[in-house]
Amino acid sequence: MLKPNKSEALGNESISSLLIKQALPASIGILVMSLNILVDTIFVGNWIGSIAIAAINVVLPVSFFIAALGMAIGIGGSSIISRALGANDKAKALKTFGNQITITFLLTVSMVVLGLVFINQLIPAFGGKGDIFDPAKIYYRIVLYGVPVLAFCMMGNNVIRAEGKPKFAMIAMIIPSLGNLILDYLLINVLDMGMEGAAWATTASYICCFFYVLWYFLSDNSELKIDFSHFGLDLPILKEMSALGFVTLARQAVVSITYLLMNNILFELGGEASVTVYAIIGRMLMFALFPVLGVTQGFLPIAGYNYGAQNYSRVRESIKLAITYACGVALVIFALIMIFPESIVSVFTQDEAVLRDTPWAMRWVFAAIPIIGIQLIGSAYYQAIGKATPALLLTLTRQGFFFIPLVLILPNYFGELGVWISFPLADTLSTIVTGYFLWRETRLKLETGTTEKN
């Protein structure tokens, strides 16, 4: 008799029940991770200073991009694993997982070496100028040591979810978050280690997560029991994994470019204070959107498994419910941000310039959040079913095709306001584009059962 958390449940249980079971642990995991980032920012801002917040924000694009290699490999491979399990092809699932481990190690270690070699060039390029440079360099060097471990955790977390084990994936996200908060208190507040303490707390928390993920795959909880033969690289699997994973990697690359542009543009417009404003808003975006991202994460294995099983009616139902849930929670988030921005900002810092400028900027940034679920679920759908090209294009619409051009143009006419209004404009335009393609997919393909892989 099958255990209730076996992957076959993705094809049998009601979509509503599955989506809640998958999305709730994912949401809790993202919530705790986001709270970690949020509280970490509060600790750093109050115990070290507002410049430290800006310094960490400068380092994020580089460390996030290398960690995104692990996430990209995890999501790309997990799409294959979900569909392989749905099609009863266990051998392909095992080979895919082995290849994920090998390529994660090779790529992330190479990227860390390059990141350390070019440290003095990368930090100023991402906005680490003036008083921000020295604390950013301290934080950057230490955190970079732990990024390959984080990449393995991100990769493993997505594989765990692909097996239909969201609770274990949730725990894997909670461990580094709680560990970082405890170590932040000890190293920054008790031992007074400043930026070094903040950086070592982050790195040590990644290591704790790695050991948990390793335990999961070595235990009886995982269906994926690989041996050394699975580590050998398989070209067809690598091609499919790369095509799907490139979607996530491209998205994170665009995020890193966005940080680069924003930090530099805002530094020119308003100095260190404006960079700090963006850092706080960025943390709030990560935190506030946790339930929307949780629904998206929960949706991925359901859509992928049922698509692999050619059960298109369940795929269609999962899309509709995921969008409904995502937009519903986004509307609640929107209301809270619009009503309480001043109270939110005062938690981070008492810097008068930051307290004055952040609330109105935050309202602009969150203005189109109620519709963002359509864009996230739409692009995730194509990734889940293995359609790399539309997944890539739709993923890039929000920040790549719309936001970056807008943020390069509008500040020339509206100053700092032009930066902030670029957010809702990009969200609206990308949602319209994604909504059209998703409507065409569900109406013309999924309903007739004539879906073809691109």
Side-chain angles (χ1 to χ4, degrees):
M1 188 170 178
L2 293 174
K3 295 179 181 180
N5 62 351
K6 286 286 186 181
S7 59
E8 287 85 349
L10 295 170
N12 298 324
E13 292 187 22
S14 73
I15 297 296
S16 179
S17 174
L18 272 175
L19 195 56
I20 293 172
K21 287 181 180 179
Q22 291 284 332
L24 189 59
S27 296
I28 294 172
I30 295 171
L31 169 61
V32 175
M33 185 174 68
S34 301
L35 274 173
N36 166 42
I37 296 171
L38 204 65
V39 177
D40 184 54
T41 305
I42 294 170
F43 285 173
V44 167
N46 285 278
W47 292 339
I48 303 176
S50 60
I51 291 295
I53 298 177
I56 293 176
N57 202 55
V58 166
V59 175
L60 284 179
V62 180
S63 59
F64 272 17
F65 180 74
I66 298 174
L69 286 170
M71 183 183 291
I73 295 165
I75 291 178
S78 295
S79 174
I80 301 172
I81 291 172
S82 288
R83 285 178 283 121
L85 291 174
N88 231 6
D89 190 351
K90 190 81 173 281
K92 186 175 183 180
L94 292 172
K95 187 65 175 176
T96 300
F97 183 40
N99 274 230
Q100 285 178 291
I101 295 173
T102 301
I103 203 67
T104 299
F105 175 79
L106 293 175
L107 287 178
T108 55
V109 171
S110 300
M111 292 296 293
V112 168
V113 171
L114 290 173
L116 290 172
V117 169
F118 295 102
I119 184 172
N120 291 322
Q121 292 77 30
L122 286 170
I123 292 176
F126 279 87
K129 304 170 184 175
D131 294 338
I132 301 175
F133 178 80
D134 287 333
K137 186 174 181 178
I138 293 170
Y139 189 83
Y140 174 96
R141 188 187 298 277
I142 297 171
V143 167
L144 209 58
Y145 295 141
V147 168
V149 178
L150 175 62
F152 273 100
C153 295
M154 301 293 277
M155 181 273 291
N157 187 274
N158 283 283
V159 175
I160 293 171
R161 192 170 286 111
E163 287 193 82
K165 312 287 178 59
K167 291 181 180 178
F168 288 97
M170 174 188 71
I171 295 171
M173 297 176 75
I174 290 175
I175 287 175
S177 301
L178 292 180
N180 187 38
L181 294 180
I182 294 170
L183 290 170
D184 262 347
Y185 174 76
L186 292 174
L187 298 182
I188 301 175
N189 195 40
V190 178
L191 299 180
D192 196 25
M193 292 176 63
M195 289 301 294
E196 288 189 6
W200 279 118
T202 299
T203 296
S205 68
Y206 295 161
I207 295 171
C208 293
C209 178
F210 170 78
F211 281 114
Y212 173 79
V213 172
L214 180 64
W215 165 82
Y216 168 83
F217 286 113
L218 293 177
S219 72
D220 293 334
N221 295 297
S222 175
E223 300 174 54
L224 301 175
K225 301 303 177 186
I226 59 175
D227 54 44
F228 285 108
S229 65
H230 297 121
F231 292 120
L233 296 179
D234 182 282
L235 190 57
I237 286 177
L238 281 180
K239 285 183 176 179
E240 187 176 2
M241 187 192 305
S242 298
L244 295 169
F246 184 71
V247 176
T248 298
L249 191 59
R251 176 171 58 237
Q252 189 56 52
V254 171
V255 169
S256 295
I257 292 170
T258 300
Y259 270 94
L260 184 153
L261 290 173
M262 290 287 288
N263 286 334
N264 281 282
I265 291 171
L266 288 170
F267 186 84
E268 294 298 323
L269 290 171
E272 289 91 343
S274 291
V275 177
T276 304
V277 169
Y278 177 51
I280 291 173
I281 292 175
R283 300 305 187 281
M284 281 307 302
L285 277 170
M286 293 178 192
F287 170 70
L289 293 180
F290 80 88
V292 181
L293 297 175
V295 172
T296 304
Q297 289 292 318
F299 164 77
L300 281 166
I302 301 171
Y305 187 98
N306 286 285
Y307 187 87
Q310 298 184 2
N311 196 338
Y312 300 134
S313 63
R314 284 175 64 83
V315 176
R316 189 171 63 250
E317 185 183 355
S318 69
I319 293 171
K320 292 178 180 178
L321 282 176
I323 289 176
T324 301
Y325 292 168
C327 290
V329 294
L331 186 60
V332 175
I333 294 164
F334 169 81
L336 293 173
I337 294 294
M338 293 299 120
I339 297 171
F340 303 111
E342 292 83 4
S343 301
I344 293 169
V345 177
S346 65
V347 175
F348 291 92
T349 181
Q350 296 304 310
D351 187 300
E352 290 185 8
V354 177
L355 288 171
R356 180 187 67 244
D357 296 340
T358 308
W360 70 273
M362 190 180 294
R363 284 192 174 101
W364 276 112
V365 170
F366 279 84
I369 287 301
I371 61 173
I372 201 64
I374 298 171
Q375 204 278 329
L376 292 174
I377 298 297
S379 57
Y381 162 75
Y382 285 99
Q383 197 167 7
I385 67 170
K387 291 190 172 185
T389 301
L392 174 62
L393 294 175
L394 291 177
T395 296
L396 294 181
T397 55
R398 185 184 177 197
Q399 287 186 302
F401 297 154
F402 294 124
F403 181 78
I404 290 177
L406 285 168
V407 83
L408 287 173
I409 295 170
L410 294 183
N412 295 321
Y413 299 96
F414 303 103
E416 197 168 327
L417 175 62
V419 174
W420 308 125
I421 62 176
S422 297
F423 282 89
L425 288 174
D427 288 342
T428 302
L429 292 170
S430 62
T431 297
I432 291 171
V433 172
T434 304
Y436 167 74
F437 283 101
L438 190 60
W439 171 83
R440 191 177 69 171
E441 173 79 10
T442 54
R443 292 289 183 182
L444 303 182
K445 294 184 178 181
L446 286 179
E447 287 189 357
T448 60
T450 58
T451 320
E452 297 177 357
K453 294 184 181 181
N454 292 337

